[in-house]
Amino acid sequence: EIVLTQSPGTLSLSPGERGTLSCRASQSIRPTYVAWYQQNPGQAPRLLIFGASSRASGVPDRFSGGGSGTDFTLTISRLEPEDLAMYYCHQYEVSPWTFGQGTKVEI
Amino acid sequence: QVQLVQSGAEVKKPGASTKVSCKASGYTFSAYGVGWVRVAPEQGLEWVGWISADSGNTDYAQKFQGRVTMTTDTSTSTAYLELRSLRSDDTAVYYCVLVIAGSPFEYWGQGTLVAVSS
């Protein structure tokens, strides 16, 4: 199976700061099949990014995704207090579909 | 609009079984699949597997093979996840998701806590 390794485990930022989350895959993935989710405490995950760089409906433009091959990133350009959450990358190209272990963004 | 509504929280003893339901609405149930993802305390998202609502074909993560069964009832647009021989490390919130080929998981159920404790 494709293993997704996220870094850092925890990202501490101040409001207004820029932060970059990394997701490295154990083998090459087509960007079409890479997504990022945000999970707030007590809530279901929310789709943020699909196709590596496309924002899902209603997602603020301070969130952006990129990457190719085995390395993908999620960037929060200007951190807002409501961005405190866990963030997960996900590949849906190869079965079994897999998730990264998550990055916690703390304010 | 698409909605996935799951059954309520459960407390089970080790060795028991659980069966979580996920009732779908807002789309043609038999046209797509339903998947299951869990999140254990202090752990990340974990893929359990999925079922095609049309064919009934299933694809389970290897970790759960032999302990899990996914089924659907097209007459009620409901999907089920059964997990047997429960252990304490099965304690988690289980989410159902709408599975569309080649697409990420845009629609999630609200989650069902399954707590395994003696």
Side-chain angles (χ1 to χ4, degrees):
Chain A
E1 73 177 43
I2 296 179
V3 176
L4 301 178
T5 302
Q6 291 187 238
S7 61
T10 301
L11 185 61
S12 299
L13 297 169
S14 299
E17 273 193 316
R18 177 188 182 92
T20 298
L21 289 66
S22 174
C23 176
R24 175 161 289 178
S26 59
Q27 64 189 72
S28 184
I29 308 170
R30 283 181 284 179
T32 304
Y33 301 104
V34 173
W36 290 87
Y37 301 87
Q38 175 192 64
Q39 187 176 30
N40 290 300
Q43 296 184 19
R46 168 199 182 195
L47 177 65
L48 287 180
I49 299 288
F50 64 96
S53 60
S54 298
R55 275 188 297 276
S57 176
V59 174
D61 61 8
R62 64 179 181 273
F63 291 95
S64 62
S68 63
T70 60
D71 292 300
F72 298 89
T73 57
L74 174 70
T75 299
I76 309 173
S77 61
R78 301 171 307 278
L79 192 76
E80 298 283 344
E82 61 265 30
D83 299 335
L84 161 71
M86 287 292 293
Y87 292 82
Y88 298 94
C89 58
H90 171 218
Q91 69 82 18
Y92 47 103
E93 178 176 12
V94 177
S95 177
W97 301 321
T98 49
F99 297 91
Q101 82 279 17
T103 290
K104 181 179 181 180
V105 173
E106 59 179 28
I107 307 298
Chain B
Q1 72 282 21
V2 173
Q3 281 195 307
L4 301 171
V5 180
Q6 300 182 222
S7 49
E10 299 189 351
V11 179
K12 297 290 183 179
K13 294 196 179 302
S17 298
T18 186
K19 192 169 186 177
V20 180
S21 68
C22 171
K23 183 170 177 60
S25 61
Y27 70 97
T28 303
F29 182 72
S30 59
Y32 304 109
V34 175
W36 294 88
V37 179
R38 75 179 189 180
V39 185
E42 307 304 318
Q43 302 293 314
L45 298 177
E46 183 173 31
W47 176 243
V48 181
W50 75 286
I51 180 169
S52 167
D54 179 25
S55 65
N57 290 339
T58 55
D59 185 9
Y60 304 142
Q62 187 170 14
K63 174 177 181 177
F64 300 98
Q65 298 257 2
R67 284 205 303 142
V68 67
T69 300
M70 295 177 189
T71 55
T72 58
D73 181 344
T74 55
S75 69
T76 60
S77 299
T78 303
Y80 298 92
L81 166 70
E82 181 183 23
L83 191 60
R84 301 177 293 278
S85 302
L86 289 168
R87 308 184 289 253
S88 58
D89 62 0
D90 289 317
T91 294
V93 176
Y94 290 76
Y95 294 97
C96 61
V97 295
L98 172 58
V99 174
I100 301 173
S103 298
F105 303 145
E106 184 172 3
Y107 300 101
W108 296 67
Q110 84 277 18
T112 297
L113 172 63
V114 176
V116 183
S117 174
S118 55

